[in-house]
Amino acid sequence: LPMTTGQCFLSEADGTYPTWGTAWGSLDGNDDLRFSAKLGQDGTFGSEVTGPGDSSLFWIAGERSPEVHDLVVELDIDAQTIKGSGTFYSLTTNKLASGSFEFICEPAAQ
């Protein structure tokens, strides 16, 4: 997926919290199209693509999906990368589609 603006946060296990991360932002320069992906502190995976307001565009993958739960999200702390793949479910059309993503987190501006 092309992500043109957004934020990304990766956190390595520190003895208190496990490794976890999230990325979110707009797609194709359109702020009405949103994407998010996460590997939660509880080890769960999740991702979604949504459109504006009451749009018919609403796809989810991971633990929240009522159908397939094959989403895998991987974090590479050294490369500051979050990537994943799995089956997305449309909450509006009840269709399934395979999808994948990869985001490189850039250092925060100083």
Side-chain angles (χ1 to χ4, degrees):
L1 290 172
M3 181 171 161
T4 55
T5 61
Q7 296 185 11
C8 191
F9 183 78
L10 303 177
S11 179
E12 191 166 20
D14 64 4
T16 303
Y17 296 103
T19 298
W20 65 280
T22 185
W24 67 96
S26 62
L27 293 173
D28 287 336
N30 183 340
D31 288 339
D32 287 335
L33 297 176
R34 309 292 297 169
F35 176 82
S36 67
K38 72 172 184 137
L39 167 56
Q41 290 180 355
D42 61 359
T44 59
F45 302 126
S47 184
E48 64 183 48
V49 177
T50 58
D54 61 354
S55 169
S56 62
L57 179 64
F58 199 104
W59 292 82
I60 59 174
E63 303 298 320
R64 291 182 49 215
S65 174
E67 293 288 324
V68 181
H69 301 110
D70 65 351
L71 180 69
V72 174
V73 176
E74 300 173 355
L75 307 180
D76 184 332
I77 300 295
D78 293 333
Q80 287 292 290
T81 303
I82 181 170
K83 64 182 175 179
S85 63
T87 304
F88 285 74
Y89 173 79
S90 170
L91 291 173
T92 54
T93 66
N94 297 320
K95 292 184 179 182
L96 297 173
S98 294
S100 63
F101 51 87
E102 181 172 352
F103 300 109
I104 298 170
C105 303
E106 296 184 12
Q110 298 294 326

